[in-house]
Amino acid sequence: MSRNAVEETDWPSFDRFLETLPALYPALHETLDVERHGYSLLYRWRGREQGAPTVLMAHYDVVPATDEGWTHPPFSAEVTGSGEHRLLWGRGAIDDKGAVVAILEAVEALVREGFQPAADVYLSLGHDEETVGSGAQAVAAALAGRGIRPALVLDEGGAVVERIFPGVTAPIAVVGVSEKGITSVRLSVEQDGGHASTPPAMTATVRLARAITRLNARPFPARLSETNLRMVETLGAHATGPLRTVFTRARRLQPVLRAVFGRLSDETRAIVRTTTAVTQLRGSMAANALPETAEAIVNTRIAVGSSVAETLDHLRRAIRDDAVRVEAVDASEPSPVSPSDGPHWDRLAAAIGEVHPRAIVTPYIMLGASDSRHFTGICEAVYRFTPFELSASQRGALHARDEHIHVATWFRGIDVYTHLLRAS
């Protein structure tokens, strides 16, 4: 039981992608230095003068998909509709090939017009974010080994969204200043097997099921981190109706807000607590045999302010059964929190504002995990923001069927990267 299997990667498709890039972006490849770290790419766009560089990140690998259930085949890149209603369909349109190509398009156009950034700009394009993230780790290690400390790192994350916060009707640009830790926790029960015709009162699978039920009945406590409070205060200032009073007094009304967030939606519940989801189960190899080992994988997303150790302790106390072994697999702690003010935040917010002048730019804690977490050791301003407007249905299609993006939205994403690069 593991994340997406590396051994199932379609490496010939990766080869074709890397071979095609120089033809698609000739000016970029004539001007920027490029090096490979496995299948990951690191481009260096040399600046006019010395200074801390900017790193733009994205990954071009995607989660698996078959044609089954898709309106348009996932790897056909079909475009439908017209005008503002043109849609691009395909796996990776949002996560995260759309950002990869938007970055390349922005750089290609700037190089062609003769623009050169003030300080160096690096483009880090990962190849295995959806599996193990070794490419991004290698790139971060290479930069660290050269003594390079970027001023700003921007990777995938939040987006421009609407109607996700009660009482706020304006578009909201949610910029991740940190991200939850992600740890797979294995629950396992080992006991004697035997023939299924004479089962004991408590089989390994029953004991495991009881552990899962107990865990589900005891969620982690809700907390409002400093970033949560900053987000509520920022958005609350734009709310209408009685909720404005609550949100603008967030620090004094934290118990009320924790209760509100816990009831609004799955997303808001995840914002204020560590979450658990049982994603994989394994028992007997035969229908008529009692399992000698029963296992479950619990995907945990650890809230900022907590830790892997605290999470494991909570799980053990919730399960209350020493016969159930609880162990962390592929553990990672929550990321450090980047500043939501100051020159680097202001630079990103200004680039967003140039393209989305009505948008409220707010910090938030990213609920998923990204390659950017590997860069927090060399940069204090690591942000997670994908510069696209995404509807609820589009966000729901991530890692699911019918992933798609508006073509006009993608063009506006290029513009955000362009403004950010011009200010580098």
Side-chain angles (χ1 to χ4, degrees), residues 76-114:
S76 65
E78 291 187 20
V79 177
T80 63
S82 60
E84 283 285 327
H85 301 291
R86 291 177 72 204
L87 294 172
L88 171 64
W89 301 81
R91 173 61 83 228
I94 299 172
D95 187 13
D96 186 33
K97 285 181 181 176
V100 169
V101 182
I103 291 170
L104 295 175
E105 289 284 340
V107 174
E108 177 77 7
L110 288 170
V111 170
R112 285 182 180 275
E113 73 173 46

Side-chain angles (χ1 to χ4, degrees), residues 270-292:
I271 286 173
V272 295
R273 58 167 47 91
T274 295
T275 61
T276 60
V278 178
T279 54
Q280 295 177 298
L281 295 166
R282 184 171 70 86
S284 174
M285 298 292 289
N288 62 349
L290 298 174
E292 295 178 332

Side-chain angles (χ1 to χ4, degrees), residues 188-401:
S188 59
V189 178
E190 296 185 7
Q191 61 186 61
D192 293 338
H195 200 283
S197 62
T198 55
M202 181 71 75
T203 63
T205 48
V206 169
R207 187 177 293 276
L208 180 65
R210 186 178 68 178
I212 293 171
T213 301
R214 286 176 174 175
L215 177 59
N216 198 54
R218 190 174 175 184
F220 284 76
R223 299 171 178 166
L224 283 169
S225 68
E226 178 60 30
T227 301
N228 294 151
L229 291 169
R230 181 79 176 262
M231 179 186 70
V232 172
E233 290 171 337
T234 300
L235 298 178
H238 298 268
T240 58
L243 286 177
R244 177 186 175 92
T245 302
V246 176
F247 294 145
T248 54
R249 293 180 171 90
R251 295 177 191 278
R252 284 187 288 166
L253 299 175
Q254 289 192 50
V256 174
L257 283 174
R258 288 196 296 267
V260 169
F261 273 61
R263 294 189 182 98
L264 279 176
S265 69
D266 293 340
E267 286 184 341
T268 57
R269 278 194 296 275
I271 286 173
V272 295
R273 58 167 47 91
T274 295
T275 61
T276 60
V278 178
T279 54
Q280 295 177 298
L281 295 166
R282 184 171 70 86
S284 174
M285 298 292 289
N288 62 349
L290 298 174
E292 295 178 332
T293 301
E295 291 185 357
I297 294 294
V298 184
N299 185 274
T300 64
R301 303 299 172 116
I302 303 172
V304 171
S306 185
S307 65
V308 173
E310 186 177 75
T311 298
L312 293 177
D313 182 61
H314 177 96
L315 298 184
R316 293 187 178 105
R317 286 186 285 107
I319 290 169
R320 305 191 314 277
D321 189 343
D322 291 339
V324 179
R325 185 178 180 185
V326 179
E327 57 184 331
V329 182
D330 298 327
S332 71
E333 302 285 355
S335 297
V337 179
S338 296
S340 52
D341 53 24
H344 307 308
W345 171 268
D346 291 345
R347 179 179 154 208
L348 176 57
I352 297 168
E354 288 287 343
V355 183
H356 302 281
R358 294 182 56 243
I360 307 163
V361 182
T362 181
Y364 91 118
I365 302 296
M366 185 168 158
L367 303 181
S370 71
D371 273 342
S372 69
R373 67 188 185 277
H374 303 303
F375 285 71
T376 57
I378 60 172
C379 181
E380 295 179 355
V382 178
Y383 299 114
R384 294 96 173 157
F385 179 73
T386 306
F388 304 139
E389 307 111 276
L390 299 179
S391 67
S393 64
Q394 287 169 328
R395 299 196 305 275
L398 295 178
H399 289 205
R401 294 171 181 153

Side-chain angles (χ1 to χ4, degrees), residues 54 121 151-152 342-352 419-421 423-424:
T54 294
V121 171
L152 180 150
H344 307 308
W345 171 268
D346 291 345
R347 179 179 154 208
L348 176 57
I352 297 168
H419 285 290
L420 187 66
L421 288 166
S424 62

Side-chain angles (χ1 to χ4, degrees), residues 44-92:
R44 181 188 180 187
W45 192 2
R46 295 178 183 269
R48 300 187 304 273
E49 55 197 49
Q50 296 294 322
T54 294
V55 179
L56 300 184
M57 299 180 63
H59 66 89
Y60 69 90
D61 62 313
V62 298
V63 294
T66 65
D67 290 358
E68 183 180 357
W70 283 69
T71 305
H72 306 275
F75 297 103
S76 65
E78 291 187 20
V79 177
T80 63
S82 60
E84 283 285 327
H85 301 291
R86 291 177 72 204
L87 294 172
L88 171 64
W89 301 81
R91 173 61 83 228

